[in-house]
Amino acid sequence: MNGTTGTGLPGSPTTLFDHALRLHQLVPDEPLPRDGYPFPDDALHRRRGPKAPKDRHLAGKDIALILDTHFARASTLPSELADVFHDVYVPIHHNEHIAAVAARVDIERARQTGRWLVRYGTDRCSVTVGLALLAVAGTADDIPLIQTIGLLSDRFGPLAAHAFERQTGGVEALLWLAERVTGWGRVYVVEALCRLDDPAARPWLLRRACDGDFLNGYFAGKVATVARLHEALAELDTDREMVDHIGRLLHLMSDCGGMGLTLAQYPHSRVVLEAHARHVGLLSPTMERYFTIAVLTQHLTTEPSEAAGCTAAQQEALRATYLEVLDREEWIQAARAGIAADDNRMRWLADHRAPQLRLRAFPDREPDAEE
């Protein structure tokens, strides 16, 4: 490891906490670049680590045995656990065996051990175990610590989200983290918010939960359900952010079979689609809006009406409404500007959707060879 990486002392390994904090200070209101990878301990983890046991119920037992042995001696220090987990399988999600250790030993000792490992650990394995201890024994005082390490969300997002689910102030902590993670980390955090089903989180869920990543499909339907989307449609008259977010939700739910709740399974699909179709046409065109309604139009054109929760007549009316918007001159010009700028969404539409829908925005052309 490079001893000068991050904010560690020269010649000493950089803690993962300091690594996350340094990157966070560079982009305080955004996800960390590349989710914080590579970590300072990357050289130790380039080879595939220990595999999960075939019997998933055994996962974490090795960790629990190490912890039990450690806590059995009153004189042991948290630092003695710094390097002992590297050669055993360490689960990144909540684990009943590790949680049981934290619950049966002195709670303050479990808490202090977890804090030390998260704050000073230089190996992702030990930091993960420390976070697992804090997920059981932590208090509201640990929220800033957990939030910071949780920014490395691909690795630590599941346990950070679990920790906040059980804490006072957890909803606010999850919302802070949700604004600063993407990819799998966003899945873990948004699903935790949906499980809590707290009214304080609904405004954010209605407007900002989906950032456009394909993985949002795992939680889009949960967001629509928990946020009572169908009850909030009256707010669309004055809320452009919500109109755009509903478009993302509908787009994701139109193509997330096997991941999450689809339009066919969502009981309010027709009502939400109709509201979105009415309101998006009142807004000025953007490339995201054009892309979203083009994809929804494709779904309404090629899929049976029940796939959108509609009758055939309702499906045709929705399709006509969206097509009328896409056929407006200002929307056509916005899409063509996207093509000229080589926008990936507009390119994809031109190659894969526009020929079927005969959208006027796109000239006929052959797909690129690499596609």
Side-chain angles (χ1 to χ4, degrees):
M1 292 178 287
N2 184 349
T4 61
T5 302
T7 57
L9 295 174
S12 66
T14 302
T15 71
L16 269 71
F17 178 90
D18 284 339
H19 173 68
L21 182 61
R22 178 182 66 84
L23 293 176
H24 171 56
Q25 289 169 340
L26 296 175
V27 285
D29 299 316
E30 300 174 20
L32 304 186
R34 298 183 61 196
D35 206 33
Y37 287 108
F39 293 177
D41 65 348
D42 190 57
L44 293 175
H45 291 270
R46 286 174 185 163
R47 292 183 179 180
R48 186 177 179 88
K51 295 181 180 180
K54 291 182 179 179
D55 183 349
R56 63 184 181 86
H57 297 292
L58 297 178
K61 275 205 165 186
D62 289 345
I63 306 292
L65 180 60
I66 294 170
L67 289 173
D68 278 332
T69 302
H70 174 84
F71 288 127
R73 292 177 288 137
S75 60
T76 53
L77 299 174
S79 57
E80 295 176 39
L81 294 171
D83 298 309
V84 301
F85 301 111
H86 184 69
D87 295 322
V88 295
Y89 173 72
V90 180
I92 67 170
H93 295 267
H94 172 71
N95 179 269
E96 59 182 8
H97 300 298
I98 302 173
V101 175
R104 65 176 169 257
V105 302
D106 176 72
I107 192 70
E108 183 60 27
R109 193 171 178 208
R111 183 180 301 129
Q112 292 302 327
T113 300
R115 286 173 178 171
W116 191 95
L117 290 172
V118 172
R119 177 61 187 87
Y120 298 107
T122 58
D123 179 77
R124 66 191 69 179
C125 300
S126 62
V127 174
T128 303
V129 174
L131 189 54
L133 293 173
L134 279 187
V136 176
T139 69
D141 292 337
D142 297 302
I143 286 176
L145 181 69
I146 297 171
Q147 283 177 324
T148 300
I149 203 66
L151 292 168
L152 304 174
S153 61
D154 184 60
R155 172 78 188 196
F156 302 114
L159 283 168
H162 181 74
F164 291 146
E165 279 192 74
R166 56 165 293 277
Q167 287 184 354
T168 301
V171 170
E172 291 78 9
L174 283 166
L175 289 171
W176 183 93
L177 191 57
E179 281 285 300
R180 293 163 178 83
V181 295
T182 190
W184 278 111
R186 200 174 187 91
V187 175
Y188 304 138
V189 174
V190 174
E191 287 189 336
L193 284 167
C194 289
R195 285 192 294 271
L196 287 173
D197 195 6
D198 190 306
R202 286 177 196 159
W204 186 88
L205 290 172
L206 281 169
R207 294 165 179 82
R208 300 186 61 81
C210 294
D211 63 356
D213 191 287
F214 172 73
L215 294 175
N216 293 170
Y218 282 105
F219 60 71
K222 296 175 185 176
V223 167
T225 302
V226 170
R228 319 288 202 270
L229 173 57
H230 63 291
E231 298 176 5
L233 296 177
E235 300 175 40
L236 290 179
D237 289 333
T238 57
D239 199 330
R240 294 186 178 193
E241 186 177 36
M242 189 171 160
V243 174
D244 287 337
H245 189 253
I246 287 178
R248 274 179 237 133
L249 285 171
L250 291 170
H251 170 205
L252 289 159
M253 292 169 69
S254 73
D255 188 28
C256 66
M259 297 173 68
L261 194 72
T262 65
L263 289 178
Q265 298 162 329
Y266 178 54
H268 308 290
S269 289
R270 177 187 61 81
V271 172
V272 176
L273 278 163
E274 289 174 346
H276 178 258
R278 284 196 307 272
H279 287 87
V280 73
L282 301 176
L283 303 179
S284 57
T286 66
M287 279 181 272
E288 180 187 5
R289 288 171 187 156
Y290 190 101
F291 176 76
T292 297
I293 64 177
V295 171
L296 289 173
T297 303
Q298 170 74 11
H299 185 270
L300 293 165
T301 300
T302 61
E303 299 296 326
S305 58
E306 55 266 24
C310 303
T311 65
Q314 291 163 344
Q315 180 189 44
E316 181 54 35
L318 279 166
R319 180 177 175 278
T321 300
Y322 280 135
L323 279 173
E324 187 275 326
V325 175
L326 294 173
D327 204 38
R328 294 176 189 171
E329 190 60 33
E330 60 189 313
W331 286 71
I332 291 170
Q333 293 307 316
R336 288 178 176 169
I339 283 286
D342 203 28
D343 181 85
N344 287 336
R345 294 165 297 186
M346 296 301 106
R347 242 179 99 194
W348 185 82
L349 279 177
D351 290 340
H352 301 289
R353 292 296 183 263
Q356 298 177 41
L357 297 177
R358 298 184 179 180
L359 298 175
R360 289 203 301 125
F362 303 105
D364 293 334
R365 69 184 183 93
E366 293 297 322
D368 291 344
E370 67 268 20
E371 298 178 356

